[in-house]
Amino acid sequence: MNVKDIIIIGGGAAGFFAAINIAERHPNLKVAILERGKEGLQKVKVSGGGRCNVTHAEFVPSELVLNYPRGEKELLGPFHQFMTGDTIEWFEKRGVMLKIEDDGRMFPITDSSQTIIDCFLNEAKKHKVEVLYNESVKQIALRDDTNDVDHHFKVETQSGLFYCNKLVIATGSNPKIWKLLEGLGHSISPAVPSLFTFNIKDDRIKDIPGVVAQNVEVKVVGSELFSEGPLLITHVGMSAPAILKLSAYGAIELAKRDYKFEIEINFIKQSFDDCLENLKNLKQELAKKTVFKSAQFDLPKRLWHKLIQASGMDQETRWADLNRHQLENLSSQLTQAVFQVDGKSTFKEEFVTAGGVELKEVNFKTFESKLHKNLYFAGEVINVDAVTGGFNFQNAWTGAYLVSKAI
Ligand SMILES: Cc1cc2nc3c(=O)[nH]c(=O)nc-3n(C[C@H](O)[C@H](O)[C@H](O)COP(=O)(O)OP(=O)(O)OC[C@H]3O[C@@H](n4cnc5c(N)ncnc54)[C@H](O)[C@@H]3O)c2cc1C
């Protein structure tokens, strides 16, 4: 009979972090990870384009939570217990130095996710965590159902039965496990993708992939969804934080619209009227110059050219020639340009699934189920997800750490 004190289902980021911290605190307990793959930590491996964006240099809990479209309120308490600073210290103590990039993202100084994987595998070995691969969990039964007086849980994999008294679910966004949890009475918020880029076919962005507008505002027409930040034009549409944030905050709404909707972009973060005033002044100042060759508002030249064309001007049009209608058209293109989104694409650096165990069923002091004692959750299995930047892993580290503390 396979009897363990603590079983962690899922050998990903949260599973390893929980197992290592539990085993370190309790060297006398038998701690085992059941991982369905022949290797674990596969998402860590590919994360951050192979560099693993471990966390983010945001050290104020009330600011950090603002990056979680789902989980903002619930994570505030947990972040007061285990934060980004604690993550940095945890890794440093184990010989993994992290560095901060200009945008706040933090990576191992080696720029390799293998450093994180090696650290976890070494720590797991050091603290005698048993990592059992090729063990896909098919069934979870509670003591009440098994009439087993000795063990709280019976876990069934394709190869056999495992028994334990404390069970940690760290299976990420796995629909089969969500089904099993529903069987145990938990409610699961429906899963939809988050962190994706927008597919847009439009002459204004045709043939200019790689162009970046540094600070734009984007609204989803007919909704409250809004974001700001850099915007990148890609081969198939638009990406970068302004878009990715919208995809995260709008994950549910945009799925309902089947990823077909309009966005309105303000490329220069000025009102239409202010922009029009500025354009009128430029008409005086730059009268003899061509509009085409005098890009304004720090916009990349290639994007400026496209917006000029879309406003009905050609390469020879001079500022002095602009009539009121053309000035208004240009102001409109600069401050309220509407684009039709038709579908989404995967953002290869990072993606997550919104949805999972309903947050009202989790005790956020311990990450224990409110329905079943001794059943814990960590990572993406619960209905928490974040914008891009290392925040998703931070959720995994924080949850897993608090589970280990509670246990
Ligand atoms: C391409 C990509 C890049 C990313 N980059 C970043 C990044 O740089 N920074 C960041 O913060 N976030 C990133 N993320 C998000 C981050 O990877 C996840 O939020 C994080 O891995 C969640 O950790 P987890 O342990 O909850 O789930 P996972 O890491 O998905 O681990 C779950 C584990 O459970 C196992 N499992 C599932 N079902 C069963 C079962 N029935 N029985 C046994 N085992 C099972 C799986 O095989 C897996 O190993 C990225 C995601 C992707 C897809």
Side-chain angles (χ1 to χ4, degrees), residues 9-15 34-37 40-41 43-44 46-48 52-54 135-137 170-174 177 348-352 378-381 389-394 396:
I9 309 180
L34 301 181
E35 165 56 45
R36 70 176 167 176
L41 298 165
K43 273 200 195 165
V44 171
V46 296
S47 66
C52 188
N53 179 191
V54 178
E135 295 287 2
S136 183
V137 171
T171 41
S173 301
N174 186 285
I177 293 287
K348 294 199 179 59
E349 285 247 328
E350 178 174 355
F351 52 90
V352 281
E380 225 178 282
V381 66
F391 305 104
N392 282 301
F393 277 142
Q394 187 56 51

Side-chain angles (χ1 to χ4, degrees), residues 70-175:
R70 285 147 293 272
E72 176 180 333
K73 189 167 78 125
E74 292 79 5
L75 287 178
L76 186 61
F79 284 154
H80 277 285
Q81 301 269 334
F82 191 88
M83 259 283 279
T84 47
D86 303 303
T87 303
I88 298 166
E89 201 183 314
W90 193 94
F91 281 103
E92 268 183 11
K93 267 194 187 156
R94 289 155 183 88
V96 177
M97 298 303 169
L98 303 180
K99 60 171 177 173
I100 307 176
E101 304 218 322
D102 289 347
D103 57 4
R105 292 183 302 159
M106 298 197 68
F107 295 87
I109 53 168
T110 55
D111 272 331
S112 168
S113 55
Q114 194 59 43
T115 306
I116 304 297
I117 295 176
D118 291 344
C119 168
F120 283 166
L121 294 180
N122 289 338
E123 289 296 313
K125 201 169 163 192
K126 184 168 144 195
H127 298 293
K128 303 197 170 46
V129 173
E130 219 181 326
V131 190
L132 303 169
Y133 295 105
N134 299 309
E135 295 287 2
S136 183
V137 171
K138 309 273 180 230
Q139 202 52 256
I140 301 169
L142 305 172
R143 173 157 64 186
D144 298 350
D145 303 324
T146 58
N147 293 323
D148 177 345
V149 285
D150 293 325
H151 310 104
H152 286 127
F153 299 98
K154 182 173 85 174
V155 176
E156 188 179 344
T157 70
Q158 82 284 9
S159 69
L161 295 176
F162 293 82
Y163 297 85
C164 64
N165 276 328
K166 291 190 189 286
L167 184 64
V168 184
I169 314 283
T171 41
S173 301
N174 186 285

Side-chain angles (χ1 to χ4, degrees), residues 19 26 83 97 105 115 119 145 199 210 224 235-236 241 260 265 276 280 288 298 307 317-318 353 365 399:
H26 302 286
M83 259 283 279
M97 298 303 169
R105 292 183 302 159
T115 306
C119 168
D145 303 324
N199 295 353
E224 301 283 298
H235 288 281
V236 288
K260 290 182 175 53
I265 302 181
L276 190 59
K280 282 180 190 163
K288 289 193 177 143
D298 291 328
L307 298 180
T317 313
R318 289 176 194 281
T353 304
K365 290 200 173 84

Side-chain angles (χ1 to χ4, degrees), residues 185-388:
H186 272 290
S187 323
I188 306 297
S189 174
V192 288
S194 183
L195 293 183
F196 47 83
T197 64
F198 294 175
N199 295 353
I200 299 169
K201 274 199 184 121
D202 192 295
D203 279 347
R204 288 166 294 178
I205 57 167
K206 200 175 164 199
D207 300 329
I208 55 166
V211 164
V212 177
Q214 284 305 341
N215 196 5
V216 308
E217 283 172 359
V218 190
K219 279 195 271 193
V220 173
V221 176
S223 82
E224 301 283 298
L225 291 168
F226 165 88
S227 79
E228 50 194 345
L231 179 138
L232 168 73
I233 291 165
T234 69
H235 288 281
V236 288
M238 293 181 186
S239 180
I243 298 299
L244 295 166
K245 270 191 257 173
L246 266 191
S247 79
Y249 280 92
I252 295 163
E253 163 88 28
L254 302 181
K256 277 188 199 148
R257 296 192 192 192
D258 198 20
Y259 308 103
K260 290 182 175 53
F261 51 93
E262 283 180 334
I263 52 171
E264 185 183 304
I265 302 181
N266 188 333
F267 285 105
I268 59 171
K269 292 176 95 173
Q270 286 184 15
S271 70
F272 172 87
D273 290 337
D274 287 350
C275 177
L276 190 59
E277 262 330 286
N278 283 324
L279 293 175
K280 282 180 190 163
N281 292 338
L282 288 166
K283 181 177 153 85
Q284 305 296 326
E285 285 166 30
L286 305 174
K288 289 193 177 143
K289 296 209 163 132
T290 64
V291 184
F292 196 78
K293 283 201 179 137
S294 37
Q296 296 295 319
F297 311 108
D298 291 328
L299 276 185
K301 277 189 199 143
R302 290 197 292 164
L303 179 59
W304 174 260
H305 294 163
K306 290 284 188 184
L307 298 180
I308 295 298
Q309 281 164 2
S311 311
M313 299 167 209
D314 60 33
Q315 295 197 14
E316 307 309 321
T317 313
R318 289 176 194 281
W319 283 96
D321 304 334
L322 294 184
N323 59 34
R324 183 166 180 90
H325 183 60
Q326 285 171 313
L327 286 169
E328 283 177 355
N329 273 352
L330 182 52
S331 181
S332 169
Q333 286 297 338
L334 289 165
T335 63
Q336 43 192 233
V338 173
F339 291 84
Q340 178 67 45
V341 177
D342 187 11
K344 62 177 174 55
S345 294
T346 305
F347 174 56
K348 294 199 179 59
E349 285 247 328
E350 178 174 355
F351 52 90
V352 281
T353 304
V357 176
E358 293 270 15
L359 303 184
K360 60 179 189 303
E361 297 176 359
V362 180
N363 173 352
F364 278 89
K365 290 200 173 84
T366 55
F367 284 74
E368 191 174 14
S369 158
K370 283 188 184 168
L371 274 55
H372 303 292
K373 271 191 80 56
N374 301 306
L375 176 67
Y376 297 83
F377 303 107
E380 225 178 282
V381 66
I382 59 172
N383 186 19
V384 167
D385 62 274
V387 300
T388 181

